[in-house]
mmCIF file of all heavy atoms in Angstrom:
data_model
loop_
_atom_site.group_PDB
_atom_site.id
_atom_site.type_symbol
_atom_site.label_atom_id
_atom_site.label_comp_id
_atom_site.label_asym_id
_atom_site.label_seq_id
_atom_site.Cartn_x
_atom_site.Cartn_y
_atom_site.Cartn_z
ATOM 1 N N SER A 17 -0.356 73.131 15.005
ATOM 2 C CA SER A 17 0.806 73.869 15.376
ATOM 3 C C SER A 17 1.760 73.044 16.275
ATOM 4 O O SER A 17 2.327 73.549 17.219
ATOM 5 C CB SER A 17 0.461 75.169 16.086
ATOM 6 O OG SER A 17 -0.161 74.900 17.339
ATOM 7 N N VAL A 80 12.426 65.893 58.720
ATOM 8 C CA VAL A 80 11.219 65.329 58.249
ATOM 9 C C VAL A 80 10.159 66.431 58.010
ATOM 10 O O VAL A 80 10.087 67.360 58.792
ATOM 11 C CB VAL A 80 10.671 64.240 59.183
ATOM 12 C CG1 VAL A 80 9.317 63.720 58.704
ATOM 13 C CG2 VAL A 80 11.684 63.144 59.348
ATOM 14 N N LYS A 90 1.940 73.072 39.618
ATOM 15 C CA LYS A 90 1.117 73.377 38.431
ATOM 16 C C LYS A 90 1.404 74.816 37.975
ATOM 17 O O LYS A 90 1.556 75.051 36.748
ATOM 18 C CB LYS A 90 -0.345 73.231 38.735
ATOM 19 C CG LYS A 90 -1.274 73.589 37.561
ATOM 20 C CD LYS A 90 -2.734 73.424 37.928
ATOM 21 C CE LYS A 90 -3.651 73.828 36.781
ATOM 22 N NZ LYS A 90 -3.525 75.261 36.419
ATOM 23 N N VAL A 95 3.605 78.579 33.877
ATOM 24 C CA VAL A 95 4.487 79.710 33.502
ATOM 25 C C VAL A 95 5.409 79.294 32.345
ATOM 26 O O VAL A 95 5.627 80.029 31.397
ATOM 27 C CB VAL A 95 5.276 80.212 34.718
ATOM 28 C CG1 VAL A 95 6.398 81.161 34.251
ATOM 29 C CG2 VAL A 95 4.357 80.917 35.686
ATOM 30 N N GLY A 181 -0.131 50.173 31.949
ATOM 31 C CA GLY A 181 1.219 50.099 32.549
ATOM 32 C C GLY A 181 2.313 50.293 31.524
ATOM 33 O O GLY A 181 3.251 49.517 31.471
ATOM 34 N N LEU A 238 -13.062 44.526 34.278
ATOM 35 C CA LEU A 238 -14.434 44.111 34.022
ATOM 36 C C LEU A 238 -15.379 45.241 34.200
ATOM 37 O O LEU A 238 -16.376 45.334 33.514
ATOM 38 C CB LEU A 238 -14.782 42.971 34.945
ATOM 39 C CG LEU A 238 -13.925 41.674 34.774
ATOM 40 C CD1 LEU A 238 -14.408 40.633 35.745
ATOM 41 C CD2 LEU A 238 -14.024 41.168 33.362
ATOM 42 N N ARG A 251 -13.320 46.921 39.256
ATOM 43 C CA ARG A 251 -13.352 45.492 39.514
ATOM 44 C C ARG A 251 -12.600 44.812 38.386
ATOM 45 O O ARG A 251 -12.918 44.960 37.216
ATOM 46 C CB ARG A 251 -14.795 45.015 39.586
ATOM 47 C CG ARG A 251 -15.576 45.521 40.767
ATOM 48 C CD ARG A 251 -16.938 44.898 40.861
ATOM 49 N NE ARG A 251 -16.858 43.484 41.266
ATOM 50 C CZ ARG A 251 -17.237 42.462 40.507
ATOM 51 N NH1 ARG A 251 -17.692 42.696 39.281
ATOM 52 N NH2 ARG A 251 -17.153 41.219 40.943
ATOM 53 N N GLY A 264 -10.335 53.944 44.466
ATOM 54 C CA GLY A 264 -9.417 55.057 44.466
ATOM 55 C C GLY A 264 -10.148 56.368 44.408
ATOM 56 O O GLY A 264 -11.367 56.411 44.209
ATOM 57 N N GLU A 283 -12.461 62.049 3.951
ATOM 58 C CA GLU A 283 -13.182 61.317 2.902
ATOM 59 C C GLU A 283 -13.493 62.197 1.691
ATOM 60 O O GLU A 283 -13.695 61.726 0.588
ATOM 61 C CB GLU A 283 -14.492 60.705 3.484
ATOM 62 C CG GLU A 283 -15.526 61.689 3.908
ATOM 63 C CD GLU A 283 -15.324 62.209 5.341
ATOM 64 O OE1 GLU A 283 -14.284 61.862 5.969
ATOM 65 O OE2 GLU A 283 -16.203 62.944 5.829
ATOM 66 N N ASP A 313 2.432 62.939 14.814
ATOM 67 C CA ASP A 313 1.752 61.736 15.353
ATOM 68 C C ASP A 313 0.642 61.187 14.441
ATOM 69 O O ASP A 313 0.374 59.992 14.477
ATOM 70 C CB ASP A 313 1.107 62.050 16.689
ATOM 71 C CG ASP A 313 2.163 62.340 17.799
ATOM 72 O OD1 ASP A 313 3.351 62.350 17.471
ATOM 73 O OD2 ASP A 313 1.767 62.515 18.933
ATOM 74 N N THR A 348 14.896 54.381 15.129
ATOM 75 C CA THR A 348 13.930 54.581 16.228
ATOM 76 C C THR A 348 14.689 54.812 17.524
ATOM 77 O O THR A 348 15.564 54.020 17.927
ATOM 78 C CB THR A 348 13.043 53.337 16.369
ATOM 79 O OG1 THR A 348 12.296 53.162 15.169
ATOM 80 C CG2 THR A 348 12.085 53.534 17.535
ATOM 81 N N LYS A 365 16.841 43.151 22.292
ATOM 82 C CA LYS A 365 17.360 41.783 22.185
ATOM 83 C C LYS A 365 16.199 40.849 21.773
ATOM 84 O O LYS A 365 16.372 39.955 20.929
ATOM 85 C CB LYS A 365 17.892 41.323 23.558
ATOM 86 C CG LYS A 365 18.338 39.875 23.601
ATOM 87 C CD LYS A 365 18.806 39.553 25.017
ATOM 88 C CE LYS A 365 19.121 38.048 25.205
ATOM 89 N NZ LYS A 365 19.545 37.689 26.545
ATOM 90 N N PHE A 382 24.407 48.660 36.349
ATOM 91 C CA PHE A 382 24.900 49.948 36.825
ATOM 92 C C PHE A 382 25.632 49.784 38.153
ATOM 93 O O PHE A 382 26.407 50.700 38.522
ATOM 94 C CB PHE A 382 23.723 50.925 36.955
ATOM 95 C CG PHE A 382 23.546 51.784 35.780
ATOM 96 C CD1 PHE A 382 23.301 51.233 34.538
ATOM 97 C CD2 PHE A 382 23.571 53.140 35.883
ATOM 98 C CE1 PHE A 382 23.099 52.035 33.406
ATOM 99 C CE2 PHE A 382 23.428 53.975 34.749
ATOM 100 C CZ PHE A 382 23.180 53.395 33.495
ATOM 101 N N LEU A 410 22.880 47.330 16.392
ATOM 102 C CA LEU A 410 21.498 47.287 16.003
ATOM 103 C C LEU A 410 20.517 47.877 16.994
ATOM 104 O O LEU A 410 19.451 48.320 16.626
ATOM 105 C CB LEU A 410 21.066 45.818 15.772
ATOM 106 C CG LEU A 410 21.891 45.026 14.722
ATOM 107 C CD1 LEU A 410 21.426 43.569 14.695
ATOM 108 C CD2 LEU A 410 21.771 45.659 13.359
ATOM 109 N N GLU A 451 31.521 55.771 30.688
ATOM 110 C CA GLU A 451 32.747 54.998 30.493
ATOM 111 C C GLU A 451 32.508 53.471 30.557
ATOM 112 O O GLU A 451 33.373 52.715 30.150
ATOM 113 C CB GLU A 451 33.810 55.391 31.524
ATOM 114 C CG GLU A 451 33.465 55.010 32.948
ATOM 115 C CD GLU A 451 34.568 55.442 33.943
ATOM 116 O OE1 GLU A 451 35.755 55.293 33.551
ATOM 117 O OE2 GLU A 451 34.261 55.908 35.010
#
Side-chain angles (χ1 to χ4, degrees):
S17 66
V80 176
K90 178 181 179 296
V95 168
L238 299 180
R251 293 185 70 245
E283 65 275 6
D313 292 5
T348 299
K365 174 183 174 181
F382 266 59
L410 301 177
E451 68 179 321

